[in-house]
Amino acid sequence: MALSITFHALTSLLLFHVSLVSTATHTPHHHTSHSSNHLQKAYRALQAWKKVIYSDPKNLTGDWIGPSVCSYTGIFCAPSPSDQNTLVVAGIDLNHGDIAGFLPEPIGLLSDLALIHLNSNRFCGILPRSLSQLSLLYELDLSNNRFVGPFPDVVLSLPSLKYLDLRYNEFEGPLPPKLFSNPLDAIFVNNNRLTSLIPRDFTGTTASVVVFANNDFSGCLPPTIAHFADTLEELLLINSSLSGCLPPEVGYLYKLRVLDMSYNSLVGPVPYSLAGLGHLELLNLDHNMFTGAVPLGVCVLPSLQNLTVSDNYFSEEEGTCRNLTSRGIVFDDSNNCLPDKPHQRSHKVCEDVLDHPVDCYDHECSAVAPQASPFAAGPSLAPASAPAYT
């Protein structure tokens, strides 16, 4: 995933150059009266946060004592982007701390923050409205915690936010359409309790990575997914309770490298428009109810490395699709209805489905009734400790 390099992105390097940050925090010319004001506000915020931390088994906040906040574990300071002589708290990294507590309202005093990484803790409750004051925040990683409530729309008011990771929490209800009109580069909302339809309004979206997986959405993927065409490189909709046909507009996402639609209830043929995905490296259609042929146009994609079509009802493989492994492509077509192929479904099971073909041109997205997925659960997507830039 490629992100533009700005001050905010560069502050993530603090996580890998702690020694440089440490030097900066003790350089006298940084400590102007302006720095003092910013750091005093940070001190008040961090002390308020420490009071609502109930368990800290690794004692990461044990040294959060006194006004020298730049020496606190997990707190990183840097010169302000607006004044190089002003030292501010630019980053918080408490990943994998196993800390229990919640985020208090005074956290909004940390208005110079460019990144917050709280991956893999036990923070709970709802997100405070004061987060809206973090106008410089570029990365927000709250994954693998115990946050609850409806989708936290406070994150949609952050003007500089590019990386949003809310996976592995307990957020519930619908996704707000505004999520896709914000200038985000990466959206991770997988493994929550999100429901309702995937929003149809993708106008103005800029995301290159979108992960919806392991939620309880319903209905089908809207044709307006094509609005992602100029930016989207990875789309993961694993185990998202999707039904209906795969819209041909998916084939307009010409920058896609990864498309994973596995563990849903998608029906009908695979649209031939997918032959236009010249950058596609991985396509996973596993555990759906697709029928018809595995199209030749997909099998000859120039960048394809991994194609999984197992556990569907395909009855034909066109051309070179019959022997993709000879080209070094990882290929799984097991548990389909393919004659003369091993490890296929029984004739009776195939007949029950293939005798009732789905004509996708007769179905509008909303007209296809949602079906319960025939699969218990999809694979888990483990949270990453921090975003990776390449």
Side-chain angles (χ1 to χ4, degrees):
M1 177 175 59
L3 295 179
S4 58
I5 301 300
T6 66
F7 161 78
H8 306 90
L10 290 172
T11 57
S12 63
L13 296 177
L14 294 171
L15 305 179
F16 309 103
H17 298 282
V18 176
S19 61
L20 294 179
V21 175
S22 177
T23 301
T25 60
H26 293 95
T27 302
H29 73 268
H30 282 301
H31 292 269
T32 65
S33 59
H34 227 49
S35 292
S36 178
N37 293 335
H38 285 254
L39 298 178
Q40 283 174 8
K41 287 201 303 181
Y43 170 71
R44 296 202 305 272
L46 294 171
Q47 290 304 306
W49 192 6
K50 184 176 181 180
K51 288 178 182 176
V52 294
I53 287 176
Y54 308 124
S55 174
D56 182 4
K58 299 180 181 179
N59 200 31
L60 296 180
T61 62
D63 62 359
W64 287 20
I65 300 170
S68 300
V69 294
C70 295
S71 64
Y72 288 8
T73 297
I75 305 302
F76 298 92
C77 294
S80 167
S82 59
D83 181 357
Q84 291 296 299
N85 292 319
T86 299
L87 197 64
V88 299
V89 172
I92 295 175
D93 179 18
L94 295 173
N95 281 349
H96 301 282
D98 197 26
I99 297 170
F102 64 90
L103 303 185
E105 283 292 331
I107 202 166
L109 293 172
L110 296 166
S111 56
D112 301 295
L113 279 176
L115 62 90
I116 298 177
H117 291 170
L118 300 180
N119 179 327
S120 303
N121 284 284
R122 290 174 288 147
F123 289 113
C124 62
I126 60 175
L127 301 189
R129 302 301 304 177
S130 62
L131 282 178
S132 63
Q133 299 171 36
L134 308 186
S135 60
L136 299 179
L137 195 66
Y138 189 86
E139 299 175 4
L140 179 61
D141 182 356
L142 303 179
S143 60
N144 201 20
N145 278 283
R146 299 174 184 177
F147 292 111
V148 298
F151 184 91
D153 59 2
V154 65
V155 303
L156 304 180
S157 64
L158 300 172
S160 301
L161 194 66
K162 294 295 182 185
Y163 180 96
L164 177 64
D165 193 343
L166 301 177
R167 55 188 155 168
Y168 289 90
N169 279 285
E170 302 290 330
F171 296 118
E172 56 193 85
L175 286 174
K178 189 181 176 185
L179 175 63
F180 303 103
S181 61
N182 276 30
L184 292 166
D185 185 77
I187 302 171
F188 295 88
V189 294
N190 54 286
N191 295 79
N192 278 280
R193 297 173 179 267
L194 298 168
T195 57
S196 190
L197 300 172
I198 292 177
R200 287 172 172 265
D201 186 5
F202 295 124
T203 305
T205 186
T206 59
S208 65
V209 179
V210 175
V211 185
F212 289 144
N214 297 315
N215 282 287
D216 194 21
F217 299 117
S218 59
C220 57
L221 187 65
T224 49
I225 192 71
H227 290 158
F228 278 103
D230 291 335
T231 59
L232 195 60
E233 298 179 14
E234 299 184 24
L235 176 62
L236 285 79
L237 287 158
I238 307 161
N239 192 39
S240 295
S241 302
L242 295 178
S243 59
C245 297
L246 191 62
E249 287 80 4
V250 171
Y252 302 168
L253 304 175
Y254 65 95
K255 290 188 175 182
L256 269 187
R257 294 185 296 104
V258 176
L259 176 61
D260 195 331
M261 309 290 295
S262 59
Y263 288 87
N264 285 290
S265 298
L266 298 169
V267 299
V270 174
Y272 209 84
S273 61
L274 267 60
L277 302 181
H279 298 287
L280 196 67
E281 300 171 10
L282 182 149
L283 175 61
N284 191 347
L285 303 177
D286 178 41
H287 279 87
N288 278 283
M289 302 177 70
F290 287 113
T291 55
V294 180
L296 175 63
V298 169
C299 297
V300 298
L301 287 171
S303 302
L304 192 65
Q305 300 174 18
N306 190 313
L307 174 60
T308 303
V309 296
S310 53
D311 290 281
N312 282 283
Y313 295 87
F314 290 113
S315 55
E316 180 185 354
E317 292 175 331
E318 296 180 347
T320 59
C321 298
R322 300 186 193 96
N323 193 19
L324 280 178
T325 52
S326 65
R327 292 172 44 206
I329 294 173
V330 177
F331 182 51
D332 186 355
D333 61 0
S334 61
N335 213 28
N336 277 285
C337 302
L338 299 166
D340 305 321
K341 279 288 187 101
H343 311 298
Q344 299 296 302
R345 297 183 187 275
S346 70
H347 177 74
K348 173 69 170 113
V349 170
C350 289
E351 190 176 51
D352 289 343
V353 174
L354 299 182
D355 283 351
H356 302 88
V358 174
D359 185 349
C360 291
Y361 290 102
D362 286 343
H363 293 285
E364 291 295 331
C365 184
S366 58
V368 181
Q371 306 172 44
S373 173
F375 314 109
S380 176
L381 297 176
S385 60
Y389 300 97
T390 55

